[in-house]
Amino acid sequence: LQIRHHRNCIMKIKYSIIIPSLNGLEGLKVTLPYMLSIDRNDFEIVVSDNCSTDGLWEYLSGINNPKLKIFKTKKRLPHSKHLNFAYSKSSGEWIGHIGDDDLILKDRFDVLDSITNGCELVVGSSLRYVWKDHTVEPENSIGIDHLGTTSLKFNSIKGKDYYRQLINKVDIPGGGCWMVNRRAYQKVIDKFGYFSPDAANVEFFSLRASAYFSKNVIHLDSPLFINGRMEKSSGSTLVKHNKSIFDWSLENPRGVWKYCPIPTYTYCTISLDAALRVE
């Protein structure tokens, strides 16, 4: 684990929040200062810039905060490969990712402190925020300074049992809803060679694989982050006009996925493809 020196004491990095971003300046200018203001010194926010063209790298380079680690890819990567790259730059005992239009709740780490003993995976839920530029879903807002605190109602589940619950599900918790202990993360890497496969499976695969290699999973009945929805979010393009208008060529250059050779993908086929990969 990375060791950070702070105020004449040594702090281990306990939590890593990973944000792979492509042209995410608009969202991160709002959310990043808020997350960096969390009054703890045992976490890091790892932002990786995937060759953005909106001034993101210049903005990130101007932030002087030891909690922020920034990286830039040498060339634009598919989202799955970019996620693997960003995860590889983290150093925390617990790791998880969010989108560049998302926001973690301010008491996230305090809640995790109280429930992570004896488990390798924590799964919660999310709140939803639709940004003002969205043309598909109605705009709404959440007052981030008045969210209150999350509850501590949770239950412990055997990792294999939770995996079995997930394997046939299409709608599973998104990346920001969960954090995995580095031990289970490393087991996924050692078994498959990646945390996200070379396709758009992303957390559909990663969560299932993490659950498989976790002895115990804590399921928390409260939100851990705000799920932002921007026009550029890939999920938005998948549901717009009831068809996929997203350019998947970067994610899937052969034109088909390994297990579900369908040219137009939806969340359903992506999720089931990921489940088959884990199996």
Side-chain angles (χ1 to χ4, degrees):
L1 299 179
Q2 178 180 326
I3 305 297
R4 176 180 296 155
H5 295 266
H6 181 74
R7 296 177 183 174
N8 299 319
C9 65
I10 297 177
M11 298 290 295
K12 289 185 177 180
I13 303 302
K14 187 171 184 180
Y15 301 110
S16 294
I17 300 296
I18 293 140
I19 307 177
S21 182
L22 172 59
N23 294 328
L25 176 63
E26 180 184 356
L28 288 175
K29 283 175 68 175
V30 175
T31 61
L32 196 53
Y34 183 83
M35 291 186 285
L36 290 172
S37 72
I38 295 174
D39 189 21
R40 294 178 60 128
N41 298 302
D42 61 348
F43 76 95
E44 63 182 7
I45 297 180
V46 180
V47 182
S48 179
D49 177 9
N50 196 14
C51 295
S52 298
T53 58
D54 63 348
L56 175 62
W57 182 251
E58 291 74 16
Y59 169 71
L60 295 173
S61 300
I63 298 176
N64 182 20
N65 192 312
K67 299 172 185 175
L68 178 64
K69 291 171 62 176
I70 61 173
F71 300 91
K72 189 173 186 178
T73 57
K74 293 182 179 179
K75 63 178 182 179
R76 186 165 293 177
L77 299 175
H79 181 49
S80 50
K81 289 187 176 180
H82 188 207
L83 190 67
N84 288 328
F85 171 80
Y87 263 84
S88 73
K89 302 300 182 182
S90 68
S91 56
E93 177 186 355
W94 288 88
I95 45 183
H97 68 276
I98 63 174
D100 56 23
D101 53 359
D102 299 336
L103 180 74
I104 63 170
L105 299 185
K106 237 174 185 179
D107 67 342
R108 178 188 184 109
F109 304 132
D110 296 334
V111 170
L112 292 174
D113 282 346
S114 64
I115 63 176
T116 51
N117 287 337
C119 74
E120 290 76 38
L121 181 65
V122 175
V123 184
S125 59
S126 67
L127 299 173
R128 188 173 181 83
Y129 177 85
V130 180
W131 290 73
K132 64 181 180 180
D133 75 327
H134 211 302
T135 60
V136 179
E137 301 176 73
E139 175 187 343
N140 61 29
S141 62
I142 296 174
I144 59 176
D145 290 324
H146 305 284
L147 286 174
T149 57
T150 55
S151 71
L152 285 180
K153 294 180 180 179
F154 64 91
N155 61 301
S156 179
I157 309 170
K158 296 291 185 182
K160 291 293 196 304
D161 291 341
Y162 187 63
Y163 164 76
R164 293 185 187 98
Q165 292 178 24
L166 291 176
I167 199 64
N168 291 316
K169 282 188 176 181
V170 171
D171 184 16
I172 68 172
C177 292
W178 51 272
M179 292 196 81
V180 61
N181 188 279
R182 186 165 294 273
R183 295 189 302 272
Y185 163 79
Q186 192 59 51
K187 287 179 181 179
V188 176
I189 299 294
D190 293 343
K191 174 66 176 179
F192 296 99
Y194 48 72
F195 195 57
S196 176
D198 190 11
N201 298 154
V202 197
E203 61 257 25
F204 292 107
F205 172 90
S206 305
L207 175 59
R208 291 182 174 104
S210 296
Y212 184 86
F213 288 110
S214 295
K215 183 177 180 180
N216 292 301
V217 176
I218 293 294
H219 191 271
L220 181 66
D221 187 24
S222 58
L224 287 176
F225 88 121
I226 297 175
N227 180 16
R229 307 299 298 150
M230 277 187 170
E231 188 69 14
K232 78 181 188 73
S233 301
S234 61
S236 303
T237 61
L238 282 170
V239 300
K240 191 172 185 180
H241 308 308
N242 296 318
K243 64 179 182 179
S244 173
I245 62 169
F246 189 68
D247 180 9
W248 289 109
S249 60
L250 185 65
E251 302 292 338
N252 187 36
R254 300 191 311 277
V256 294
W257 264 261
K258 184 175 180 181
Y259 296 104
C260 300
I262 302 172
T264 300
Y265 255 45
T266 64
Y267 268 153
C268 178
T269 49
I270 291 172
S271 184
L272 294 179
D273 179 86
L276 289 168
R277 283 179 180 270
V278 179
E279 283 290 272

